[in-house]
Amino acid sequence: MTYTSHLIRHSRKLKLLRNESSSSVLVRMFSTEVNSSIKSENLVRINQRPGNINGGSIGASSIRSVSNRMRIGNNSISRNAFSSSQLYSRRGFASDSALPPHQEIGMPSLSPTMTEGNVARWLKKVGDKVSTGEVLCEIETDKATVEMECMEDGYLAKIIHDDGAKEIQVGEVIAITVEEEDDIAKFSDYKASSTASSGEAKSSPEPSPPKKEAEPVSSPEPTSAVAAEPPQSKGRSFASPLAKKLAEENNVPISSVKGTGPDGSIVKADIDDYLASKASAPKAKATTQASNLDYTDLPHTQIRKITASRLLQSKQTIPHYYLTVDSCVDKLMELRSQLNSVQEASGGKRISVNDLVVKAAALALRKVPQCNSSWTNDYIRQYNNVNINVAVQTEHGLFVPVVKDADKKGLSKIGEEIKQLADKAKKNSLKPDDYEGGTFTISNLGGPFGVKQFCAIISPPQAGILAVGSAEKRVVPGAGPDQFKFASFMPVTLSCDHRVIDGAIGAEWLKAFKGYIENPETMLL
């Protein structure tokens, strides 16, 4: 009787489905071949079109998933759990039958801190066949120019952003690929606005509310004064993501801006009005005074913009303090001369003073590991690897490639890696693995540029950076009361994050570093 009643109940449901005249049918699918520990429930809406069901053809674009959840044991895993910021392509199906299935190639996230990038140049053109692993274009990131490879076989149907396109948000569509060569022509009029990233789509309607504010003319006060007026509400100021980013880039305090968006929220147009009102008066005076000046405006490169943003953040948020010591380098120079004689005899490359400084700093970090750490809001992370970033100045900007596990490498190996990384930096061809993962930074302006002493800015999330000045000869007392001698001293300044490195810890690290510099033979033990 149980099976009979079960069949009667479901036959009635099927009869109702046949008689239903609405444009959509809800179908619940059950599987009897699933393991008892895995329960799958799929609810799919099938949009009916004349002839689709009876003809037996249901297009991919006519099926829309309403619910898709898989339960394994007591754990629930949704599809969103598999999303990744590193993925830059997605399969697209157009609702219009004129556009075939295609793949949208988005701006990739090539580093943990990357939010936007530039298209340096395309290596493929529209109509070219592309294969998995083949290079599509070169992307300029905040650190270097990186090649972007294709993820699937197909044909390049449309290039949304051409060579030289700048400030493209991560995830924003830059190209379209298709599987069939005959489908390329169908994307000739493809509009980029339909594939804009979600962040851009949300921010685009924001400028519309300020137009309503500009309509009433009853107030005699200019709009600039209204924009500069601080909000009366003492509560929290709400702002759109685009407005927050613009305010952060221009150092605008959100609390000083009056919001004109929904419920008084701050939108991009409010920040623009605030900046315009703040800069209008000084600009008028500046143009009258500097109208006869001859100048050239140089556009910001992506590397310059990101470097400026991070250094500003570092100086504003990290409590810097500085420790300086002078180290006698006479023994260091003598050892270097001996080692270079051996290198030249064996056909090896010469060892520089900077190579010895990197080695001494790495060994000092191994001896005082508190300085090989980073600050987070919940804990201090102390690294087991000693990876030294070395600042390299190029015509493209400042690069900081990393020498990994410098404490475990010999001087010749360190020198060879630094030369290779410097050459790649000058060619703007560094890969993410060449500059990511550093735990401490060294900036040497003494040897190459003759700078006597300076204080460097810490590179987040690191807690310290060593500024190396030029060595100079000084007169120092000798053994007797009337005896004097000459000695060369090199000043170094350690910039410390006081949240991580206390003053005594920083002094202890400098003591260890100075010991290796003044007794360089200990570095070889």
Side-chain angles (χ1 to χ4, degrees), residues 207-229:
S208 57
K211 294 182 181 179
K212 297 183 179 179
E213 184 186 358
E215 291 176 2
V217 201
S218 58
S219 174
E221 298 181 2
T223 55
S224 60
V226 175
E229 179 184 353

Side-chain angles (χ1 to χ4, degrees), residues 12 33 45 104 150 185 247 270 305 336 349 367 403 415:
R12 290 175 180 173
E33 298 179 358
R45 182 180 299 277
E104 298 173 339
C150 185
D270 299 329
K305 287 174 61 178
R336 173 176 174 262
K349 295 184 178 180
K367 183 176 289 187
V403 179

Side-chain angles (χ1 to χ4, degrees), residues 98-120:
L99 290 180
H102 55 277
Q103 187 181 37
E104 298 173 339
I105 308 298
M107 173 61 68
S109 176
L110 300 173
S111 68
T113 57
M114 180 178 172
T115 58
E116 59 183 27
N118 303 335
V119 177

Side-chain angles (χ1 to χ4, degrees), residues 118-179:
N118 303 335
V119 177
R121 66 188 179 109
W122 284 92
L123 302 180
K124 295 290 183 179
K125 61 181 183 294
V126 174
D128 287 352
K129 184 176 181 180
V130 293
S131 304
T132 303
E134 199 171 4
V135 178
L136 279 176
C137 63
E138 293 180 352
I139 301 297
E140 182 183 351
T141 70
D142 54 340
K143 297 289 187 181
T145 300
V146 183
E147 296 177 343
M148 187 180 77
E149 297 179 352
C150 185
M151 301 294 291
E152 292 186 14
D153 296 344
Y155 295 88
L156 185 59
K158 180 73 173 180
I159 294 178
I160 307 297
H161 294 282
D162 294 323
D163 294 354
K166 298 182 179 298
E167 299 180 2
I168 305 171
Q169 298 295 319
V170 169
E172 186 176 345
V173 178
I174 61 175
I176 302 295
T177 60
V178 293
E179 297 179 358

Side-chain angles (χ1 to χ4, degrees), residues 79-386:
R79 273 183 304 179
N80 293 335
F82 298 96
S83 64
S84 171
S85 62
Q86 300 298 326
L87 298 179
Y88 60 86
S89 63
R90 59 180 180 267
R91 178 76 60 185
F93 295 95
S95 58
D96 187 357
S97 59
L99 290 180
H102 55 277
Q103 187 181 37
E104 298 173 339
I105 308 298
M107 173 61 68
S109 176
L110 300 173
S111 68
T113 57
M114 180 178 172
T115 58
E116 59 183 27
N118 303 335
V119 177
R121 66 188 179 109
W122 284 92
L123 302 180
K124 295 290 183 179
K125 61 181 183 294
V126 174
D128 287 352
K129 184 176 181 180
V130 293
S131 304
T132 303
E134 199 171 4
V135 178
L136 279 176
C137 63
E138 293 180 352
I139 301 297
E140 182 183 351
T141 70
D142 54 340
K143 297 289 187 181
T145 300
V146 183
E147 296 177 343
M148 187 180 77
E149 297 179 352
C150 185
M151 301 294 291
E152 292 186 14
D153 296 344
Y155 295 88
L156 185 59
K158 180 73 173 180
I159 294 178
I160 307 297
H161 294 282
D162 294 323
D163 294 354
K166 298 182 179 298
E167 299 180 2
I168 305 171
Q169 298 295 319
V170 169
E172 186 176 345
V173 178
I174 61 175
I176 302 295
T177 60
V178 293
E179 297 179 358
E180 303 296 335
E181 188 175 5
D182 297 338
D183 296 333
I184 297 176
K186 299 179 181 179
F187 288 86
S188 58
D189 298 328
Y190 191 87
K191 300 297 182 182
S193 58
S194 63
T195 56
S197 61
S198 59
E200 293 293 330
K202 292 180 181 178
S203 60
S204 57
E206 291 178 359
S208 57
K211 294 182 181 179
K212 297 183 179 179
E213 184 186 358
E215 291 176 2
V217 201
S218 58
S219 174
E221 298 181 2
T223 55
S224 60
V226 175
E229 179 184 353
Q232 300 297 327
S233 173
K234 297 182 180 179
R236 179 183 175 187
S237 299
F238 293 93
S240 67
L242 190 59
K244 288 181 180 179
K245 180 181 178 182
L246 185 61
E248 183 180 350
E249 291 177 351
N250 294 275
N251 298 327
V252 174
I254 290 292
S255 58
S256 302
V257 182
K258 182 180 179 180
T260 60
D263 299 326
S265 61
I266 299 171
V267 296
K268 177 180 179 292
D270 299 329
I271 305 296
D272 292 335
D273 292 342
Y274 179 87
L275 293 172
S277 64
K278 192 174 181 181
S280 57
K283 277 185 179 178
K285 296 180 181 179
T287 49
T288 57
Q289 296 175 359
S291 57
N292 297 326
L293 294 179
D294 185 16
Y295 59 88
T296 302
D297 293 330
L298 302 177
H300 297 307
T301 63
Q302 189 72 5
I303 296 173
R304 178 68 62 184
K305 287 174 61 178
I306 298 299
T307 301
S309 174
R310 289 181 182 170
L311 293 181
L312 178 64
Q313 178 191 6
S314 173
K315 207 57 173 160
Q316 290 178 336
T317 60
I318 295 179
H320 286 62
Y321 76 92
Y322 310 96
L323 301 173
T324 302
V325 296
D326 292 333
S327 302
C328 182
V329 294
D330 289 340
K331 292 183 178 179
L332 184 79
M333 300 302 291
E334 183 179 352
L335 176 64
R336 173 176 174 262
S337 178
Q338 296 175 2
L339 292 176
N340 282 335
S341 299
V342 176
Q343 288 288 97
E344 291 174 358
S346 60
K349 295 184 178 180
R350 293 176 60 85
I351 296 172
S352 67
V353 174
N354 196 56
D355 301 336
L356 292 160
V357 169
V358 170
K359 181 66 175 181
L363 293 176
L365 288 171
R366 177 62 63 193
K367 183 176 289 187
V368 187
Q370 295 93 326
C371 294
N372 196 44
S373 306
S374 294
W375 170 267
T376 69
N377 293 331
D378 300 321
Y379 49 83
I380 293 176
R381 173 169 292 172
Q382 192 171 113
Y383 300 102
N384 297 324
N385 300 92
V386 179

